[in-house]
Amino acid sequence: MPAATFLSTFMQTASSDRTGMLSSKGAFNAVPRRADNAADIHEPLYLALCKSTKHKARCPGLVFDQSIKRSLRPSRLGHAKPHICCFKPENHRHVEDADPASRVELGYTEFIVQVTPDSSLDYFIDPDADADDRTLAAHNFVRQFSDENRYKEVVRAYGLHISFATEIFARQQRSFLFTVAIAGSLARFFRWDRSGCIVSRAFDIRDSPDMLAEFLWRYSKLTDAERGFDLTVRVASPKEEELFQSVIKEYVHQQLSATDEELEKAVSLHYQPGHVSSIPVYCDAASTSHSPEEPSQHFLVSRPIISPLIMDGRSTRGYWCVNASTGQVGFLKDTWRTYAQKGSEGDTLQHLNRLGVRNVPLLATHGDGIPQDTQSDQFVDEPWARQIDRKDVIVHRRRHYRIVTYTVGYSLSTLRGTDELLHSTYDVFVAMQDALAKDKRLHRDLSAGNIILVKEPDHPVRRGYLIDWDASIRVDKKGEALQAGRAGTWVFLSARMLSREHAELRHTFEDDMESLIYVILYCALLYLPHRFVALSLATFYTKFFEEFNNVGLDGYGGVAKTANTVDRVWTRRVRFDSPALQEWLDTVLNYHSPMAKDREKYKGMWEPDKLDAYWADFLKTHELERNDRAEHKISMSSRYDPDSPPTVPPTPTPRTPPSPLPSGIDTSSPSEREETPEHKRRLLALIPPEYFPIRPPPQRGPTAPSARATLRRSKRIRDQQKRSQATATIVASTPAAGPSIPRTRGATSAQPRRPGRGRGRGRSRK
């Protein structure tokens, strides 16, 4: 979009008065057209943005901050901060008082300015200014690169920009967001919403300083709503916060029977003192709770248990909530539904409740409320709307939507043992069958995240509920979904729906049944005892659940799942400690796809009623293990950033050389003594070499400011090896005992680092 059109479309002001506006003439001449590093751009830019007189300013009422200077590891993903952030003065004080290791800036910023040192690092490339409509239609907006390293540098820079915008949305209640990108002296405006992003044409802030100056001035005159903030959300009163805390604490105690420190820790997952908000849900006319006198209900929330990790799409945020009027506990789902969608999730749940479908959430209320719609979709037909990677941009209009249910529980990932896993998933299977029999409806998104466990007085183990029905669809007379195509969470999709032909295939109940098996297998591998070493488990998870081949429009997978139906090439490697669980899994896999030797025995058994009969009888006749939970952590290579540049410490911390050790002391760590080369060789021999993923070094989370926190890992390893060699020499040459080793702040331990935490999660359509 032309920059001037961007301002007139999205930043309209009621007054043309420019009395308090600084002159833009030569405002950004100190910013070079290109530089060797980003600091040479953002430092003079920051000074220009902050310039003011007694009565005039660039952006009156707002302040700027070089947030990048508050980052301990400015080049590392997850630690980096924007180069410049804009704040309200009262919010800037919170940022200044915050721990530099946090990224609280993204929770308070109005907009950000992200910088690259050269215009050649701009991810986008504009057509000629006088290009006709035909040329515009064929123009590829994304810059093409022949140099792979240059390409990675550009993609990384733009990826950081996207990640900052995404986290701002996750931390703030917003419907849209403005940002600015500077590449050398070229600038672009961005407007982000849950449908996509509008990007302006580039302009030179040295040659056309009035354009950036006008943006800053107009932004200062916009209301909070015009800046993208969702004003339907307000801060709760002290009385409301007290109500929220007491009700949530009582409900957590009821669900977990926890006390003292354990109870406080469980409550802290949902409640943060001083951070309770009131969110209205505007009831649809058909809602069970709708009344003309009370068009909306207010619900108190604090910490979300689900936050959106991508910019576009449904971007679901979920909270445990409390009805401000009745004090009843509920679950509030805040999402952006597709505008063209026929019927909402609330409509589906309301209908399922009326039909008496078991083990689905009880609807409290739902509605769109005050319409908040995306706008990116409105411009797809404009002549300046470009292709991306030579593909037309497809953007869907979305509307802000909220739904509250009165069924509240814990994720299936909190299961306590084998009995809870098989009982709760059987409850879910009952819900699936009821929905099909009574409403001819498929869920289509069976996943570990869409099953919750609820403790009920009349149930010996927590009951399983099937939630998140917004992807559900009705079936035709043949039992096939009315609409073709893939839907659901990648990790748990059936092999058939992961295939290349998925676009022409229609979902069936058997696909949902297969997905439920994968949910059980997934949870058993991560949370129940078995005889699978960590390396084998990581390989199994990557190949069986996450395999993705980027071919075609949406890619395909399921090769390992398909292979497993033939001869159990994958699941035969897994042996669970629970004989009952092993028996159930082996039997159900034979129901689904019998081995050659058992085909006659299990022929025709993959039917809902036959699986139900077997499962129900199994639960009655087998004594299942309780409280046998055993967590298994998987280091996910996909979260490693191989192109992360080194971070140079601003002030090197001097290292104290180690003092002599007493002779005869073993300097190796316990883990080094246990994991001998022979031990590792035996582990590696368990899996064929072709199945090994390329696994990078494990990573740790944020640490306190120190030299170790700012050195690159490869350098730390080399330093550690040098110190170990020096220590070994000292030990060999020192006959008598010496003083103990002093530890300095910058010193590193010789003990190997623990693998980074990582629980496998599927890629969801949300």
Side-chain angles (χ1 to χ4, degrees):
M1 176 182 280
T5 306
F6 185 100
L7 296 177
S8 62
T9 302
F10 300 123
M11 308 182 76
Q12 298 179 7
T13 55
S15 172
S16 59
D17 182 22
R18 297 291 187 273
T19 303
M21 182 178 179
L22 276 176
S23 171
S24 62
K25 185 176 180 179
F28 306 106
N29 282 349
V31 178
R33 295 191 186 276
R34 67 168 305 279
D36 294 330
N37 58 74
D40 292 342
I41 301 292
H42 67 71
E43 288 182 357
L45 177 63
Y46 168 72
L47 295 176
L49 294 175
C50 292
K51 185 177 180 180
S52 64
T53 65
K54 184 176 180 180
H55 300 292
K56 295 184 178 182
R58 295 267 177 245
C59 200
L62 299 171
V63 297
F64 293 93
D65 183 273
Q66 282 183 288
S67 302
I68 187 68
K69 291 189 174 182
R70 296 172 50 82
S71 176
L72 301 178
R73 307 178 76 182
S75 299
R76 287 300 182 96
L77 301 182
H79 300 270
K81 298 180 181 181
H83 291 103
I84 299 174
C85 288
C86 178
F87 300 99
K88 290 181 178 178
E90 59 270 25
N91 290 336
H92 187 230
R93 288 191 287 270
H94 293 296
V95 172
E96 290 181 313
D97 295 337
D99 182 354
S102 74
R103 297 214 293 185
V104 70
E105 292 88 347
L106 300 177
Y108 288 105
T109 187
E110 295 278 321
F111 66 87
I112 66 171
V113 180
Q114 193 62 15
V115 172
T116 51
D118 191 340
S119 61
S120 65
L121 295 176
D122 187 357
Y123 185 77
F124 303 106
I125 185 167
D126 295 333
D128 294 335
D130 57 351
D132 56 25
D133 289 356
R134 184 176 180 180
T135 303
L136 289 175
H139 179 72
N140 190 9
F141 195 28
V142 176
R143 189 182 297 272
Q144 304 299 306
F145 295 90
S146 56
D147 184 344
E148 181 69 14
N149 292 329
R150 193 68 164 176
Y151 168 76
K152 288 182 177 181
E153 187 179 2
V154 172
V155 169
R156 180 184 176 82
Y158 185 51
L160 273 176
H161 192 160
I162 295 174
S163 71
F164 293 145
T166 302
E167 188 166 339
I168 291 171
F169 268 92
R171 287 176 175 264
Q172 301 181 15
Q173 300 286 349
R174 279 187 172 273
S175 54
F176 62 89
L177 169 73
F178 293 112
T179 65
V180 180
I182 306 288
S185 61
L186 295 184
R188 293 185 188 274
F189 303 138
F190 292 72
R191 183 191 182 277
W192 310 81
D193 62 26
R194 293 305 190 181
S195 281
C197 181
I198 301 295
V199 184
S200 78
R201 285 197 182 209
F203 61 92
D204 196 304
I205 61 175
R206 292 167 58 95
D207 300 336
S208 304
D210 54 311
M211 196 66 69
L212 180 56
E214 184 70 12
F215 172 90
L216 298 170
W217 175 262
R218 290 192 180 210
Y219 191 92
S220 71
K221 299 304 178 182
L222 297 177
T223 65
D224 284 340
E226 292 169 337
R227 294 175 182 177
F229 292 99
D230 181 1
L231 300 187
T232 64
V233 182
R234 64 170 176 82
V235 177
S237 67
K239 185 177 180 180
E240 288 175 326
E241 179 170 349
E242 183 180 355
L243 170 66
F244 179 84
Q245 180 187 15
S246 62
V247 171
I248 292 296
K249 187 173 184 178
E250 176 61 30
Y251 190 76
V252 169
H253 174 69
Q254 172 193 331
Q255 288 292 307
L256 301 181
S257 301
T259 57
D260 302 330
E261 291 185 7
E262 184 182 353
L263 177 60
E264 294 301 323
K265 183 177 180 180
V267 170
S268 69
L269 297 175
H270 308 284
Y271 167 61
Q272 182 176 0
H275 292 76
V276 178
S277 302
S278 175
I279 298 182
V281 178
Y282 298 89
C283 314
D284 282 351
S287 175
T288 54
S289 59
H290 175 77
S291 66
E293 296 79 16
E294 190 180 19
S296 68
Q297 298 185 52
H298 288 261
F299 295 87
L300 307 175
V301 303
S302 186
R303 276 185 166 167
I305 62 172
I306 302 169
S307 292
L309 300 178
I310 57 175
M311 174 59 68
D312 62 329
R314 289 181 171 85
S315 306
T316 300
R317 183 188 275 121
Y319 306 86
W320 279 25
C321 66
V322 174
N323 190 312
S325 300
T326 66
Q328 187 169 355
V329 174
F331 182 81
L332 190 152
K333 179 178 176 180
D334 183 291
T335 188
W336 289 79
R337 68 178 183 86
T338 305
Y339 184 81
Q341 179 181 350
K342 294 181 179 179
S344 63
E345 182 183 4
D347 296 328
T348 299
L349 270 184
Q350 187 174 49
H351 190 58
L352 295 178
N353 289 161
R354 286 173 177 171
L355 294 174
V357 173
R358 293 169 288 177
N359 305 330
V360 298
L362 176 64
L363 177 68
T365 186
H366 71 109
D368 295 325
I370 299 174
Q372 292 180 342
D373 294 349
T374 57
Q375 293 188 37
S376 296
D377 52 279
Q378 299 178 17
F379 301 94
V380 293
D381 295 327
E382 293 291 333
W384 46 260
R386 313 289 185 233
Q387 292 184 329
I388 301 296
D389 290 335
R390 304 199 180 281
K391 297 177 183 177
D392 291 334
V393 178
I394 300 175
V395 183
H396 298 285
R397 181 181 179 186
R398 295 188 176 277
R399 172 164 288 185
H400 202 178
Y401 173 76
R402 292 174 181 142
I403 176 174
V404 178
T405 61
Y406 283 146
T407 304
V408 186
Y410 285 87
S411 165
L412 185 60
S413 63
T414 67
L415 64 90
R416 294 165 178 163
T418 303
D419 65 331
E420 199 163 70
L421 175 61
L422 291 183
H423 276 93
S424 62
T425 48
Y426 177 71
D427 295 334
V428 167
F429 187 51
V430 169
M432 293 162 55
Q433 292 182 92
D434 275 9
L436 181 65
K438 298 178 180 182
D439 196 30
K440 295 183 178 180
R441 184 174 294 275
L442 302 177
H443 187 276
R444 290 202 306 172
D445 192 12
L446 269 292
S447 70
N450 285 341
I451 298 173
I452 61 171
L453 305 175
V454 182
K455 183 178 180 181
E456 297 178 349
D458 59 342
H459 215 60
V461 295
R462 289 187 290 180
R463 185 185 296 276
Y465 282 83
L466 183 56
I467 64 172
D468 197 0
W469 287 82
D470 59 347
S472 67
I473 193 171
R474 283 199 166 96
V475 298
D476 57 21
K477 294 180 179 179
K478 296 187 294 184
E480 296 181 337
L482 296 179
Q483 182 179 347
R486 179 191 293 154
T489 303
W490 186 271
V491 169
F492 306 105
L493 284 173
S494 67
R496 192 176 76 99
M497 296 310 296
L498 287 173
S499 67
R500 294 172 182 259
E501 298 78 23
H502 71 89
E504 291 78 35
L505 299 177
R506 295 177 182 269
H507 211 101
T508 66
F509 190 79
E510 286 73 18
D511 290 311
D512 274 1
M513 289 168 60
E514 184 179 345
S515 293
L516 187 57
I517 295 178
Y518 297 143
V519 169
I520 295 170
L521 176 60
Y522 170 94
C523 290
L525 286 169
L526 292 184
Y527 310 119
L528 294 179
H530 53 69
R531 303 168 194 175
F532 224 18
V533 296
L535 183 59
S536 300
L537 179 59
T539 303
F540 186 104
Y541 181 88
T542 303
K543 292 292 184 179
F544 193 86
F545 289 114
E546 286 204 328
E547 178 201 19
F548 176 79
N549 298 286
N550 192 15
V551 177
L553 184 61
D554 299 317
Y556 73 94
V559 175
K561 291 177 179 177
T562 302
N564 198 64
T565 63
V566 179
D567 61 359
R568 306 293 184 268
V569 64
W570 290 94
T571 54
R572 71 185 178 193
R573 303 178 185 184
V574 186
R575 305 310 298 175
F576 292 101
D577 287 8
S578 168
L581 175 60
Q582 192 68 54
E583 177 188 339
W584 183 93
L585 181 62
D586 291 342
T587 303
V588 173
L589 286 175
N590 279 327
Y591 271 45
H592 171 247
S593 52
M595 303 274 284
K597 60 184 178 62
D598 296 321
R599 280 177 186 160
E600 287 301 319
K601 179 180 177 181
Y602 292 102
K603 184 178 180 180
M605 298 300 288
W606 191 236
E607 297 288 343
D609 56 338
K610 293 178 181 177
L611 178 60
D612 179 82
Y614 167 75
W615 203 339
D617 182 69
F618 182 90
L619 295 177
K620 292 177 182 178
T621 57
H622 288 69
E623 185 175 349
L624 303 177
E625 293 80 1
R626 292 192 175 188
N627 301 318
D628 61 336
R629 179 183 178 92
E631 291 192 26
H632 307 274
K633 295 179 173 58
I634 301 176
S635 180
M636 303 305 298
S637 60
S638 60
R639 299 179 184 177
Y640 176 71
D641 178 27
D643 300 313
S644 182
T647 303
V648 180
T651 306
T653 303
R655 295 182 179 274
T656 303
S659 300
L661 286 171
S663 62
I665 292 181
D666 186 356
T667 58
S668 65
S669 68
S671 57
E672 286 175 328
R673 292 193 293 272
E674 292 165 3
E675 293 198 11
T676 62
E678 176 62 19
H679 173 70
K680 292 183 178 179
R681 187 191 65 76
R682 291 199 304 269
L683 293 182
L684 297 177
L686 295 175
I687 305 176
E690 61 268 21
Y691 289 143
F692 286 119
I694 299 174
R695 301 185 65 200
Q699 301 183 75
R700 296 181 105 175
T703 57
S706 67
R708 180 175 184 178
T710 53
L711 287 176
R712 208 173 169 183
R713 187 172 189 271
S714 59
K715 187 177 187 303
R716 291 200 303 273
I717 291 174
R718 291 194 296 272
D719 291 343
Q720 178 179 322
Q721 291 171 343
K722 291 178 182 178
R723 288 194 300 276
S724 298
Q725 293 170 0
T727 301
T729 303
I730 292 171
V731 171
S733 61
T734 307
S740 60
I741 300 177
R743 295 300 300 272
T744 65
R745 187 182 181 189
T748 31
S749 170
Q751 183 169 345
R753 301 176 64 190
R754 296 173 59 191
R757 299 183 64 185
R759 181 168 63 229
R761 299 183 185 273
R763 300 187 313 154
S764 175
R765 55 186 167 72
K766 301 184 201 47

